[in-house]
Amino acid sequence: MARRTLKWSPFLALIAALAMLSLAPGCGGTAETLAKEDEGLTVIRRGEDEDPKSMDPHKTGDVISSRHAGMTYECLLQYDYLERPAVLVPALAAAMPQYDRATNTYTFKLRDDVYFSDDRCFHPDARGKTYAQEGEGMQDVRGKGRKLTAADMVYSFKRLAALPDSEGFWVIEKKVQGLDAFHNGIIGLKGKSEGNDPDAEWHRAMEQPVAGLKAPDDLTFQVTLTEPYPQFLYAITLTYGAAVAREAAEYYDKDLSRKPVGTGPYLLKRWRFNSELVYERNPNFRDERFPTSAKPEHARFKPYMGRRLPIADRVIFRVIKEGQTEFLEFLQGNLDVSGIDKDQFSAAVSPQSEVTPALAAKGIKLLKYADPSISYISFNMNDKEVGTPGGARATAIRKAVCACIDREDLIRRYRNGRGEATRQLVPPGTLGYSPANDMPAQTYDPGKGRRILQEAGFQVNEVGRNLYRTTDPATGRQLSMSILLRRNDSQAADYAVFLKSCGDKIGIRIECEPMTFAEFLKRQNEGTGQAYDAGWVMDYPDAQNMLQLLYGPNKPPGINSASYASPEYDRLYREMAILEEITEADRARKAELIRLMHAELEKDCPWVVIQFSKVFSLYHSWYETPEPNAFAYTYIKFIHSDTPARARLATSWSEKPVLPAVIMLLLLGIPMILMGVKILKQAA
Amino acid sequence: MLNYVLRKLAYMPFILIGVIAITFTLFFLVTSPEALARQRLGPKASQNQVYEWQETEGYIVWTEAGQTKRKANAEKDEPEPLVEGQDFERVGKIMLFGRYIQEIVTFNYGLDRRDRSVARVLFDGMWASLALTLPAFLIAELLGVFFGLFAAMYRQTRLDHVLVISAIVVMSVNSIALYMFGQKFLAANWNYFPVSGYAEGFGAARYLLLPILLYVFISYGEHLRFNRIVMLDEVNQDYVRTARAKGVNENSVLFKHVLRNTLIPLITRWVVAIPGLYLGALVLESFFAIPGLGYLTVDAISNSDVNVVRATVVLGAISFMLANLLSDVLYAVVDPRVKLS
């Protein structure tokens, strides 16, 4: 090869530039940066899987949206932060409401010291205008937030019924006098008017009175129900019952989804989509104090009892989708709390379900608590193979499938112990829960499952170790069943493998079809699946909320995905649903009705009941572990984080070792060094 | 050339309609207006609400009987159920598709599932994606050309072997594993970089450095091998030998002759990569919590956010078509032998 000589100055310059770049000082220092930002404040830093869908309290149909709406809005009542089982206490109401049984009327007296947060919508210049017209530029010119009145509550309940995309009307549907007619009259009017204001007719309709919603004076709000509705107070404590100011709703309209204006403890300071949400203390927030308790289990909250809420000055939610990223941010001290992704589980939790020694050494605590959400598989009761049309043979198939699912194994091997196997629909701690309600048909016993199939006339043959093949003598074909899964990720793939292995134990081929949630909903509503992987997060601590999932009139597109229709179950449900829990006799009757409903389900097996969830969360030592309450969305105002301690510890964990950097630079630099040598040789 | 460009531009609307038709068909194969309504309004929404939502979104139209029944229902607590075919008709798929196209033409992309303007969402996400992908792409390409030239010049030497072997090693590593490794060790354990995050303006630089370095590292192998082969093809050409024989110095041989003649494959590569730059790097964005378009698109597909899916498909299709046209034009600019007709 001919020897060639280059003028190497451009190459040397590039090598030098690259070397400089790779030697650029590390851009760490996150702990120091955060410490500086938080100086003098109490700051909570948390992660969130995704942005809230909406902060408009009437459109918060999911947990994340409800949590964020709960930062800025309030309802008439709230859950006591300390008491368990969950107990309602006043929030915007001055006291618990009076209930007149004769007229089914609740009377709420409102507090006299509640103000909406200062906002542009209250500014006199903004009257008659909208956010869409004024734009973001006028947001700094705010008006003083006005006092909450009973008329606001009337307006809020009407708005919940009137918005075409309201997600919460169901909580008061058919329950408030005159409200359903109001709903039916207004629901199609939004955005449909001719002229400048497409909502003109809708606004006019909003002025219509509703017989069951009254504001006799500024501080009295009355709701008259159509029938006894014992869950009413729970239902309006969901974020759907929040107070929304008419000015805010009209000024922001759809943009109220991301421009909250409430009476709650915080103001939304910044929402950078897909990145972070920052809340700061609302200076207009009423004088609410941390509850006091002399119970020994509440002793750790002593330093906060009687303190004015909210305790933290600022709350920052980082939107982090990856489990690893959130976990690493948490380990660095940049987040106070972390969930535990399945990939990080073994690094965080020991086989004994304790926090691992490495994390314990950092003072990290593990909190485990039951979450009242149930997982189940619902059979399509209209299916000719596994549903009612299939008669006794279909019932046998359903019962056999119920018996072949090893729930404990699923929880242990696939869900990292995050669940409690169940054989009934009512979670522990709720009225109606009783070991006596456990349905024997839901016990794992594949041998029994095979016997049931044989008794129903199917042929069950052992074809391998713990492997069976059940055939229908009429067709000679193996029994099979398909289950639609509501997701199509790796967890769904694992679940499919598990279910198939369960089916093998009774000789039924179980095939799963993972799909997107949209496709799943479509198939479920059309009733084109044989069985559906399903789940339900309980909205309030009343067994009715779970048992409605099998109530006949709720069939698809409603929430009864099984299309289960049992006249006896429906009759029992109707009686149970309106039963007050005032006297001991009421409570006993309700428990008895729930037992009878489970007896009906035992006969028909419309579901494979799988588990109630268990939540595992990690907390740093500086963060006061909260009292878990899955129904409450306003609890962040009670939480304390020792911000100086975080700054101190996180900074001490952020040292930069030199050796790895040197080794890596050498490794990466070898090609450059070789090139440099080559160049120098040639230059010489 | 003008004729060629005009002809290509004239084809574009048809290609775009084709792409949108495929997306539209696939979208409504896996979902339905009823399911979209339920997804949007929650499983407990009243059936009336579901119909009204579909009517507002243009999926159904009321018949005269339906209008009358709705008016009558407005007076009642217990509304009479609305019946398909009698009280309302479903809008045909062709009509829907026509409206879909009309909205695209009039730049009316509507709102996303969080009630935000789709145009605004895409615009914001695009900058975050570009902040990550543009510097990463430029550095990776610059290094690729540099190392490619170097390896070609010193082919079959120890240096060439080191470069090629290192490229193969890097290409063998799973990119996600490398992202995880980089994040865990370089950021979390050794604290050289922030674990994740993003900030507005120049504040973003500290958060972007690690993902950019990882992107460059991952791209290194592929770029080096591609550029080395392209350069080797040219280095052995007669004109290079002639230039050297004439005593032209190596700088001129490399930069004036070899590099210029390798521009056609390089341009193809660069221009085709442009749409990918602002459409984002899904995995990197997800790992490093960068609010770009990559994640947004996947999120929209999995949540059946029809307006965002439509907008990203249109954006992607238009930019790919324009990028292809641009690469054709640039061929003609850099290589006088290429005639566009």
Side-chain angles (χ1 to χ4, degrees):
Chain A
M1 191 191 301
R3 192 162 179 81
R4 296 184 288 276
T5 309
L6 286 168
K7 282 186 182 166
W8 284 106
S9 51
F11 285 91
L12 283 172
L14 184 56
I15 288 176
L18 290 170
M20 294 277 284
L21 183 69
S22 60
L23 286 169
C27 285
T30 304
E32 293 91 335
T33 313
L34 298 188
K36 214 169 160 187
E37 278 176 22
D38 297 351
E39 212 169 344
L41 298 172
T42 300
V43 181
I44 293 172
R45 292 182 176 274
R46 300 172 58 108
E48 199 70 276
D49 291 345
E50 62 173 332
D51 291 277
K53 196 173 114 190
S54 174
M55 286 197 201
D56 182 335
H58 297 151
K59 301 179 188 176
T60 49
D62 59 286
V63 173
I64 293 176
S65 299
S66 299
R67 179 159 49 231
H68 286 271
M71 297 288 288
T72 51
Y73 289 96
E74 288 185 292
C75 300
L76 290 162
L77 306 175
Q78 63 184 331
Y79 288 96
D80 188 289
Y81 184 60
L82 301 176
E83 283 305 313
R84 296 294 176 276
V87 175
L88 291 175
V89 291
L92 294 176
M96 290 304 282
Q98 305 262 305
Y99 178 51
D100 180 350
R101 272 189 122 162
T103 58
N104 276 328
T105 301
Y106 282 93
T107 302
F108 296 87
K109 286 284 177 195
L110 302 188
R111 291 177 65 114
D112 198 16
D113 59 349
V114 180
Y115 289 83
F116 287 101
S117 56
D118 297 346
D119 192 89
R120 176 66 189 164
C121 66
F122 296 115
H123 197 282
D125 293 348
R127 202 159 294 150
K129 295 179 185 159
T130 64
Y131 173 73
Q133 291 164 349
E134 290 204 317
E136 192 64 26
M138 298 306 290
Q139 286 290 293
D140 288 336
V141 188
R142 294 182 191 164
K144 183 85 189 121
R146 65 163 173 77
K147 193 186 256 189
L148 172 89
T149 65
D152 291 311
M153 295 313 304
V154 173
Y155 176 80
S156 301
F157 275 55
K158 283 163 72 176
R159 184 174 183 266
L160 180 64
L163 285 178
D165 52 353
S166 161
E167 294 194 33
F169 176 56
W170 63 273
V171 300
I172 46 176
E173 191 178 5
K174 299 192 175 86
K175 302 294 183 192
V176 177
Q177 274 185 14
L179 195 61
D180 285 79
F182 172 79
H183 166 81
N184 294 328
I186 198 170
I187 191 82
L189 299 181
K190 192 142 177 54
K192 302 284 172 61
S193 303
E194 305 286 331
N196 286 343
D197 180 8
D199 291 341
E201 217 177 317
W202 187 83
H203 287 309
R204 267 196 298 279
M206 279 294 282
E207 303 297 336
Q208 300 289 321
V210 172
L213 299 173
K214 287 199 181 105
D217 62 59
D218 274 0
L219 295 180
T220 307
F221 173 51
Q222 284 182 328
V223 185
T224 305
L225 303 177
T226 52
E227 61 179 358
Y229 180 23
Q231 300 81 25
F232 176 67
L233 296 183
Y234 290 133
I236 60 164
T237 305
L238 291 163
T239 43
Y240 307 131
V244 175
R246 174 192 287 260
E247 297 91 324
E250 289 180 357
Y251 180 76
Y252 288 109
D253 194 25
K254 274 188 180 288
D255 290 305
L256 198 66
S257 289
R258 55 196 179 85
K259 295 280 182 188
V261 185
T263 59
Y266 290 100
L267 303 173
L268 178 65
K269 207 73 190 164
R270 187 170 69 239
W271 181 359
R272 207 164 51 219
F273 177 70
N274 227 344
S275 183
E276 119 185 306
L277 297 104
V278 180
Y279 295 90
E280 285 185 0
R281 179 190 291 278
N282 175 7
N284 292 2
F285 187 56
R286 65 199 160 82
D287 185 356
E288 186 187 5
R289 304 281 164 163
F290 196 102
T292 52
S293 165
K295 291 184 180 170
E297 65 266 33
H298 299 147
R300 66 196 176 95
F301 295 111
K302 275 255 154 45
Y304 318 113
M305 288 179 187
R307 264 178 72 171
R308 189 164 178 177
L309 300 175
I311 289 183
D313 301 299
R314 187 184 291 162
V315 184
I316 300 172
F317 289 88
R318 289 270 320 276
V319 180
I320 303 175
K321 283 141 191 127
E322 284 297 325
Q324 164 168 306
T325 309
E326 184 183 357
F327 186 60
L328 295 178
E329 289 281 15
F330 170 75
L331 289 184
Q332 284 217 316
N334 302 331
L335 298 177
D336 297 330
V337 192
S338 174
I340 312 173
D341 193 56
K342 72 180 172 67
D343 297 329
Q344 274 71 50
F345 200 82
S346 59
V349 182
S350 70
Q352 293 75 36
S353 277
E354 299 299 331
V355 66
T356 53
L359 268 60
K362 284 183 137 182
I364 292 169
K365 300 167 281 183
L366 173 69
L367 181 67
K368 296 172 277 184
Y369 59 92
D371 181 37
S373 59
I374 194 169
S375 304
Y376 58 94
I377 294 168
S378 59
F379 294 102
N380 178 359
M381 297 299 279
N382 292 329
D383 184 79
K384 62 182 191 326
E385 303 287 336
V386 300
T388 315
R393 285 158 68 94
T395 308
I397 292 174
R398 292 199 302 275
K399 287 191 170 176
V401 172
C402 286
C404 79
I405 306 291
D406 188 348
R407 296 154 182 84
E408 302 286 355
D409 185 49
L410 171 74
I411 293 165
R412 191 178 56 249
R413 288 203 295 142
Y414 293 88
R415 297 186 177 167
N416 302 115
R418 283 180 279 195
E420 200 66 61
T422 181
R423 291 189 285 150
Q424 62 176 295
L425 277 69
V426 182
T430 309
L431 176 67
Y433 170 80
S434 160
N437 291 344
D438 280 349
M439 294 177 279
Q442 301 288 340
T443 307
Y444 171 61
D445 185 351
K448 183 180 153 197
R450 292 192 294 270
R451 277 197 306 281
I452 291 171
L453 289 170
Q454 278 167 335
E455 284 161 15
F458 296 109
Q459 280 181 356
V460 182
N461 299 312
E462 188 165 5
V463 291
R465 192 161 172 253
N466 223 359
L467 197 62
Y468 294 84
R469 182 181 162 88
T470 299
T471 49
D472 183 347
T475 62
R477 284 211 302 259
Q478 185 182 8
L479 290 187
S480 67
M481 193 184 87
S482 76
I483 302 176
L484 307 190
L485 305 184
R486 60 194 149 139
R487 48 202 293 176
N488 54 3
D489 55 9
S490 63
Q491 279 185 42
D494 289 346
Y495 196 32
V497 169
F498 169 78
L499 291 173
K500 185 186 176 307
S501 71
C502 291
D504 289 343
K505 293 175 197 167
I506 52 168
I508 295 181
R509 201 172 67 235
I510 296 181
E511 287 165 350
C512 292
E513 288 184 59
M515 56 189 67
T516 62
F517 189 57
E519 191 178 1
F520 176 83
L521 269 184
K522 181 187 175 205
R523 299 278 304 273
Q524 186 178 276
N525 290 348
E526 292 169 350
T528 53
Q530 281 192 306
Y532 311 100
D533 158 38
W536 185 260
V537 181
M538 220 173 164
D539 298 294
Y540 42 77
D542 189 314
Q544 171 271 341
N545 193 250
M546 283 292 188
L547 295 166
Q548 64 173 337
L549 298 173
L550 286 158
Y551 181 51
N554 289 341
K555 66 179 192 288
I559 51 183
N560 174 4
S561 59
S563 299
Y564 179 58
S566 154
E568 181 59 9
Y569 182 92
D570 292 351
R571 186 188 68 75
L572 294 166
Y573 173 82
R574 277 193 292 272
E575 185 183 343
M576 183 275 306
I578 58 164
L579 203 59
E580 304 277 359
E581 293 177 21
I582 297 168
T583 65
E584 201 47 51
D586 291 339
R587 297 166 67 84
R589 177 64 185 152
K590 185 163 182 171
E592 174 60 9
L593 288 169
I594 291 170
R595 190 188 66 75
L596 292 171
M597 291 167 83
H598 277 91
E600 280 302 304
L601 299 179
E602 166 72 11
K603 277 192 272 178
D604 295 330
C605 279
W607 280 10
V608 183
V609 188
I610 309 261
Q611 66 158 60
F612 288 115
S613 301
K614 210 191 253 179
V615 177
F616 282 44
S617 290
L618 295 169
Y619 296 89
H620 276 296
S621 56
W622 58 76
Y623 189 80
E624 192 54 67
T625 317
E627 278 295 309
N629 178 352
F631 307 113
Y633 296 112
T634 55
Y635 60 90
I636 288 179
K637 65 185 172 188
F638 298 102
I639 294 174
H640 177 260
S641 180
D642 184 349
T643 309
R646 174 179 50 216
R648 206 171 48 247
L649 282 168
T651 307
S652 74
W653 297 336
S654 65
E655 280 176 16
K656 299 178 182 70
V658 177
L659 191 61
V662 172
I663 294 171
M664 286 208 321
L665 282 177
L666 279 177
L667 279 175
L668 289 172
I670 283 174
M672 287 191 202
I673 292 165
L674 282 172
M675 279 189 269
V677 170
K678 196 97 190 165
I679 291 163
L680 290 174
K681 267 188 187 171
Q682 286 217 343
Chain B
M1 189 197 288
L2 187 62
N3 280 345
Y4 177 84
V5 172
L6 289 175
R7 201 169 61 243
K8 281 268 183 175
L9 285 172
Y11 291 154
M12 280 182 192
F14 300 103
I15 298 171
L16 191 60
I17 288 172
V19 171
I20 293 166
I22 291 167
T23 320
F24 177 87
T25 310
L26 290 176
F27 193 86
F28 283 103
L29 269 181
V30 297
T31 190
S32 65
E34 180 88 12
L36 285 174
R38 289 272 164 203
Q39 203 172 3
R40 182 66 194 258
L41 303 171
K44 298 168 201 160
S46 70
Q47 190 57 47
N48 255 3
Q49 258 184 292
V50 170
Y51 287 138
E52 292 293 347
W53 186 88
Q54 291 182 73
E55 198 270 337
T56 307
E57 298 296 315
Y59 294 116
I60 61 175
V61 285
W62 304 121
T63 60
E64 220 163 283
Q67 295 281 20
T68 314
K69 193 186 270 185
R70 284 170 69 239
K71 275 191 190 135
N73 278 346
E75 308 293 323
K76 297 176 188 167
D77 273 341
E78 191 73 54
E80 268 189 72
L82 296 160
V83 182
E84 185 172 347
Q86 188 181 314
D87 301 319
F88 64 88
E89 302 281 355
R90 295 221 167 265
V91 174
K93 289 284 187 290
I94 293 177
M95 284 285 286
L96 271 184
F97 184 67
R99 205 183 60 223
Y100 209 72
I101 296 287
Q102 185 200 346
E103 285 169 356
I104 289 168
V105 172
T106 53
F107 298 102
N108 173 16
Y109 289 104
L111 303 176
D112 74 349
R113 70 189 178 102
R114 293 184 171 92
D115 284 337
R116 295 166 314 146
S117 147
V118 170
R120 182 82 231 167
V121 167
L122 294 191
F123 185 77
D124 290 346
M126 194 173 78
W127 291 117
S129 285
L130 277 177
L132 166 67
T133 52
L134 192 62
F137 176 76
L138 290 177
I139 295 171
E141 284 300 330
L142 191 66
L143 278 179
V145 171
F146 171 64
F147 283 123
L149 259 180
F150 213 96
M153 286 302 299
Y154 293 100
R155 66 190 177 280
Q156 300 304 328
T157 64
R158 249 180 312 184
L159 181 63
D160 181 32
H161 294 154
V162 168
L163 287 172
V164 172
I165 289 169
S166 64
I168 292 167
V169 169
V170 170
M171 287 168 76
S172 312
V173 179
N174 179 291
S175 60
I176 294 179
L178 189 80
Y179 298 152
M180 291 173 83
F181 171 87
Q183 190 180 48
K184 181 162 171 51
F185 289 96
L186 295 177
N189 288 11
W190 300 331
N191 303 300
Y192 300 140
F193 304 94
V195 171
S196 68
Y198 189 73
E200 298 294 343
F202 289 110
R206 61 193 293 269
Y207 296 106
L208 293 172
L209 198 58
L210 178 60
I212 288 174
L213 282 180
L214 291 173
Y215 179 99
V216 170
F217 190 75
I218 284 286
S219 319
Y220 157 79
E222 188 201 332
H223 286 190
L224 176 113
R225 280 174 59 83
F226 178 82
N227 289 320
R228 180 176 173 275
I229 290 165
V230 169
M231 304 290 176
L232 276 178
D233 276 351
E234 289 301 322
V235 163
N236 292 326
Q237 297 286 331
D238 287 345
Y239 73 88
V240 176
R241 203 172 302 122
T242 309
R244 282 181 181 142
K246 282 163 66 183
V248 177
N249 73 42
E250 274 304 304
N251 273 359
S252 298
V253 171
L254 280 182
F255 293 107
K256 284 193 184 154
H257 299 283
V258 174
L259 195 56
R260 181 176 291 176
N261 283 299
T262 57
L263 277 179
I264 286 191
L266 290 181
I267 284 172
T268 312
R269 201 183 145 87
W270 294 339
V271 176
V272 170
I274 291 172
L277 296 184
Y278 57 82
L279 291 176
L282 164 69
V283 182
L284 267 178
E285 285 176 11
S286 193
F287 265 97
F288 293 94
I290 296 164
L293 279 191
Y295 183 80
L296 183 81
T297 309
V298 175
D299 182 58
I301 292 168
S302 55
N303 287 296
S304 302
D305 199 338
V306 59
N307 289 345
V308 178
V309 171
R310 177 177 61 180
T312 48
V313 165
V314 170
L315 188 66
I318 291 177
S319 51
F320 272 104
M321 288 188 294
L322 289 179
N324 271 320
L325 179 62
L326 183 65
S327 69
D328 288 350
V329 171
L330 286 176
Y331 287 164
V333 172
V334 298
D335 188 347
R337 291 169 302 178
V338 176
K339 296 276 180 241
L340 297 180
S341 59

